[in-house]
Amino acid sequence: MNADMFRDWYAYHFTINRKIWEHCIIPLTDEQFTRKLDYSVGSIRNQVVHLLNVDDRWFSGLRGEPVPGFINPVHFYQRSIIRQKWDDVEARMQAYLGSLRDDQLLDQPFLPIDHDPVRVYQALLHVVNHGTDHRAQMLAALNQMGLTTFPQDYAYYFEGRM
């Protein structure tokens, strides 16, 4: 386990997030984007806002910054505002990952809000796993809306099929 492995893992995370945005979310009507879904956190909008918010919360903690509160997705009614926020969160995540050292992964304990202490590598794995879960929920909902979706398998990414 080393920092380069996590940088690659997050390159996958960012690539799939952008692919969902560009190929599935942009074509949605406003009604489809905000349509109430009974599973998980709700609409596609709610899923996207939740995903970027959780990424931001964990990485703010990893950077030693104040952890932002939970965002109410109803305040994000325009996709351009969400995309701008998502790009900002991603840029700050990439900056952290760019400075990540191998020794931090195991040796540096991390105390996330409302959780027991974990190792940095555990927090990093959690964020990508959380993203995979919510992307799967979004892809299923988007498919049920009639949109063409795609697999998000990590193997497709490292084989260059994404």
Side-chain angles (χ1 to χ4, degrees):
M1 173 180 349
N2 62 49
D4 283 339
M5 180 188 82
F6 282 94
R7 283 186 274 275
D8 180 65
W9 193 237
Y10 274 87
Y12 154 76
H13 179 70
F14 300 140
T15 296
I16 300 302
N17 285 347
R18 287 187 176 278
K19 186 171 182 176
I20 288 176
W21 186 268
E22 293 164 6
H23 294 278
C24 301
I25 294 174
I26 288 175
L28 293 175
T29 66
D30 289 341
E31 186 278 326
Q32 289 172 314
F33 187 58
T34 58
R35 182 181 296 166
K36 183 181 181 321
L37 302 172
D38 292 330
Y39 186 75
S40 188
V41 296
S43 68
I44 298 299
R45 178 204 53 203
N46 292 11
Q47 291 278 1
V48 172
V49 171
H50 175 75
L51 184 58
L52 75 86
N53 188 210
V54 169
D55 283 6
D56 192 28
R57 287 174 54 84
W58 279 89
F59 270 76
S60 291
L62 286 166
R63 289 187 303 265
E65 300 171 357
V67 175
F70 287 104
I71 296 174
N72 185 339
V74 300
H75 299 299
F76 288 84
Y77 47 88
Q78 291 182 338
R79 281 177 258 191
S80 61
I81 294 169
I82 297 169
R83 185 72 245 179
Q84 182 177 12
K85 174 85 172 153
W86 205 348
D87 289 345
D88 179 57
V89 168
E90 180 183 311
R92 288 183 283 126
M93 291 169 73
Q94 287 183 359
Y96 173 84
L97 293 164
S99 66
L100 184 65
R101 299 180 322 270
D102 294 351
D103 63 294
Q104 292 173 285
L105 296 170
L106 288 170
D107 300 339
Q108 183 177 323
F110 172 61
L111 182 60
I113 291 179
D114 299 329
H115 294 276
D116 292 333
V118 298
R119 299 287 179 215
V120 168
Y121 84 90
Q122 292 170 313
L124 292 170
L125 286 173
H126 166 71
V127 172
V128 171
N129 187 61
H130 178 261
T132 302
D133 179 39
H134 283 282
R135 285 190 301 266
Q137 293 171 25
M138 283 192 284
L139 287 166
L142 290 161
N143 181 270
Q144 290 175 353
M145 288 182 197
L147 275 82
T148 301
T149 58
F150 53 87
Q152 65 165 332
D153 298 55
Y154 179 61
Y156 287 177
Y157 172 78
F158 68 72
E159 291 173 351
R161 298 193 297 178
M162 296 243 125

